Amino acid sequence: MKIPTQASTQQMLRAHNADLADPLFWQLPRSERLKAFALLRGLDAPVLFGESPGSSRRAGRAGKGFYALVKHADVMEASRQPRQFASAPGVTTPEPAAWAKAVFGNSMVNMDGTEHATMRRIVSRAFTPRLLAAAEEDIRDVARRVVDEMLVERPRDFVPSVASRMPFEVICNLMGIPERYRPEIADRVNHASENVGVQRGVRARLRVPGRGLRALAHMQLVMAKLARERRRHPTGDLISALVRADIDGQSLSSRQLGAFFSLLLVAGVETTRNAIAHGLALLTEHPEQRDLLAADFEQYADGAVDEIVRHSTPIIQFRRTVTTECALGGREFRPGEKVVLFYASANRDEAVFTDPDVFDITRDPNPHLGYGGGGPHYCLGSHLARQEMKALFHELLTRPRDLRAVGMPELVDSNFDNRVRTLRFAFEPS
């Protein structure tokens, strides 16, 4: 039997519109992209994308391409081997510029080793039991208020009126952001995240990053001001805890606080917003699952949240940089090479999930990788994200029972997150 070469494999993948390095791939319907991932999972080893086969190795250096890790086991192993698969210099594509890190601070997701451990320890200890208990109570209050106002105002787009508002208010309350800053911060968040999607046209590529950097700079100034205030006059919020934390003589500087807040807005707001929006669409598309959840919410809520996250996978991928010679998934890797962890593929792996394309809130077990593949970078906010989704869907299902999405969600073309731009919805008073 003739073993296919890397070149012939890539030729076959291109024939099936499965070139993950091509921006056009990320403009395909999501169903087509999932078929491409299924094709990749059927291969014996991770495939190289973004450069000619063997070019970087012939030159004795790492090239600009990446190897796609698409199987559940491979994503988990790479996640739990941070010494071989490092987050530095960056987990996004493209990687953050060195000057941007110097100006805005380095995000915790791009750190490794003792630097990451120290930062995570400072943040973890700031989440005291008292703070978490207050946050969970606040989550329930926010969910009630958001749904109350939705019933009065009768908006047409679920994303800005419900899905975005819920996690944004929770994060701002948790951090202790004064009300006067929130409208402008919400606007800046939208600008800062515009360049995540696959952009079309030269003007868009030139314009959006500038607006994003200005938005980040403004948020940094706001956080620096609040940090100074809380150092002098601490309250019971997360900002006060972070700037006054003393872990081995260290606390978060104003710049580090700004970088962490930016991370919270993506990891805590954007991802939860998208999961909530996809959740409504999925429960509408599968009324038998919605009815099951509504009939006994306490029994099925945890399973529903996990299945929504698995099925939608809000974060599509993160990248890692190989630091030492190692083997994974049937391939040998060299220092400097890049691998990309495709959570969107791992969460549909037939070797782990029976009927992976089926939406089933009773799925058990459900070892999805929607919050990461384990290891030191497992999502710190996964518990709060689950609580937000449970609280909001409890309100949505126990009051306007026939609330439903109208049509399919309008998605943003993105190779990073499964972002919902718009989701029309309708309901009748109970």
Side-chain angles (χ1 to χ4, degrees):
M1 178 179 178
K2 184 178 180 181
I3 300 175
T5 65
Q6 177 78 18
S8 63
T9 296
Q10 290 187 323
Q11 185 177 9
M12 179 268 292
L13 293 173
R14 282 193 295 270
H16 288 81
N17 293 321
D19 184 357
L20 307 190
D22 186 349
L24 293 176
F25 173 80
W26 301 102
Q27 296 172 25
L28 294 173
R30 186 163 180 256
S31 60
E32 294 301 311
R33 286 181 270 149
L34 291 175
K35 288 179 182 177
F37 282 129
L39 184 65
L40 287 167
R41 289 193 300 271
L43 302 179
D44 292 334
V47 175
L48 176 68
F49 291 96
E51 66 179 60
S52 58
S55 61
S56 64
R57 295 193 172 195
R58 285 195 299 269
R61 57 177 175 80
K64 295 181 180 180
F66 63 86
Y67 288 91
L69 302 187
V70 295
K71 297 179 181 179
H72 190 280
D74 292 347
V75 172
M76 280 190 62
E77 185 173 349
S79 300
R80 299 180 183 191
Q81 299 292 335
R83 292 185 179 181
Q84 287 78 36
F85 299 94
S87 295
V91 299
T92 56
T93 305
E95 295 167 354
W99 68 265
K101 293 181 184 179
V103 173
F104 300 113
N106 192 18
S107 176
M108 193 162 63
V109 296
N110 299 323
M111 297 177 182
D112 294 299
T114 56
E115 182 186 24
H116 176 264
T118 298
M119 179 71 75
R120 192 175 177 102
R121 191 160 58 246
I122 292 173
V123 173
S124 296
R125 293 194 184 180
F127 282 91
T128 62
R130 181 178 179 181
L131 186 72
L132 287 173
E136 291 189 16
E137 183 176 353
D138 180 66
I139 286 170
R140 292 188 290 271
D141 291 341
V142 171
R144 283 192 291 267
R145 185 171 66 253
V146 167
V147 175
D148 283 343
E149 295 181 11
M150 176 197 74
L151 293 170
V152 172
E153 297 171 2
R154 296 177 176 270
R156 298 181 65 185
D157 189 349
F158 185 73
V159 174
S161 59
V162 180
S164 290
R165 186 179 166 195
M166 173 76 189
F168 180 75
E169 289 198 15
V170 168
I171 292 298
C172 285
N173 291 347
L174 179 67
M175 296 287 288
I177 307 297
E179 290 287 346
R180 64 183 182 275
Y181 292 120
R182 297 189 186 188
E184 189 171 5
I185 287 178
D187 183 60
R188 301 286 177 174
V189 169
N190 289 333
H191 290 329
S193 59
E194 280 179 331
N195 62 332
V196 175
V198 176
Q199 299 295 331
R200 300 185 181 119
V202 174
R203 292 182 63 188
R205 289 197 296 271
L206 293 175
R207 181 179 66 250
V208 172
R211 294 179 68 189
L213 291 177
R214 286 196 298 273
L216 287 173
H218 181 84
M219 286 193 291
Q220 290 278 19
L221 292 174
V222 171
M223 295 309 298
K225 180 179 180 180
L226 291 174
R228 290 192 297 269
E229 292 176 0
R230 301 300 159 75
R231 286 193 182 97
R232 293 193 300 266
H233 306 290
T235 60
D237 54 53
L238 186 57
I239 292 178
S240 300
L242 289 171
V243 298
R244 293 173 63 85
D246 186 358
I247 308 299
D248 299 329
Q250 298 186 52
S251 61
L252 290 190
S253 66
S254 297
R255 189 175 63 172
Q256 287 173 320
L257 183 64
F260 178 68
F261 185 48
S262 298
L263 174 62
L264 269 183
L265 289 171
V266 175
V269 176
E270 292 285 307
T271 57
T272 306
R273 177 195 77 169
N274 292 324
I276 290 170
H278 281 290
L280 178 62
L282 286 166
L283 292 172
T284 301
E285 185 180 359
H286 303 278
E288 77 289 350
Q289 298 292 301
R290 181 199 62 198
D291 292 344
L292 184 63
L293 178 59
D296 194 339
F297 189 85
E298 291 305 317
Q299 178 178 349
Y300 295 110
D302 289 328
V305 167
D306 277 333
E307 182 67 349
I308 288 169
V309 172
R310 182 197 73 85
H311 203 278
S312 65
T313 311
I315 296 294
I316 294 172
Q317 53 117 319
F318 274 143
R319 74 160 49 195
R320 296 289 189 266
T321 299
V322 179
T323 60
T324 61
E325 290 190 6
C326 58
L328 176 65
R331 186 172 295 283
E332 299 288 333
F333 292 100
R334 297 182 181 182
E337 291 180 328
K338 307 292 183 179
V339 300
V340 173
L341 285 58
F342 283 100
Y343 307 110
S345 176
N347 281 345
R348 299 292 181 107
D349 192 337
E350 304 84 348
V352 176
F353 303 100
T354 302
D355 297 324
D357 293 328
V358 172
F359 178 67
D360 179 8
I361 67 172
T362 67
R363 186 180 296 277
D364 185 25
N366 190 351
H368 68 82
L369 306 184
Y371 299 113
H377 283 280
Y378 187 80
C379 178
L380 265 173
S382 60
H383 174 72
L384 287 178
R386 286 186 171 101
Q387 295 303 310
E388 289 176 52
M389 293 178 65
K390 285 174 62 176
L392 182 61
F393 279 109
H394 180 267
E395 294 296 326
L396 293 174
L397 290 172
T398 56
R399 290 201 277 177
R401 281 289 303 277
D402 59 349
L403 181 143
R404 63 194 184 281
V406 177
M408 298 299 292
E410 179 185 339
L411 303 181
V412 174
D413 296 332
S414 175
N415 62 3
F416 176 69
D417 61 354
N418 192 14
R419 181 180 304 189
V420 180
R421 177 184 286 116
T422 301
L423 178 64
R424 294 185 61 203
F425 75 117
F427 59 91
E428 295 293 336
S430 56

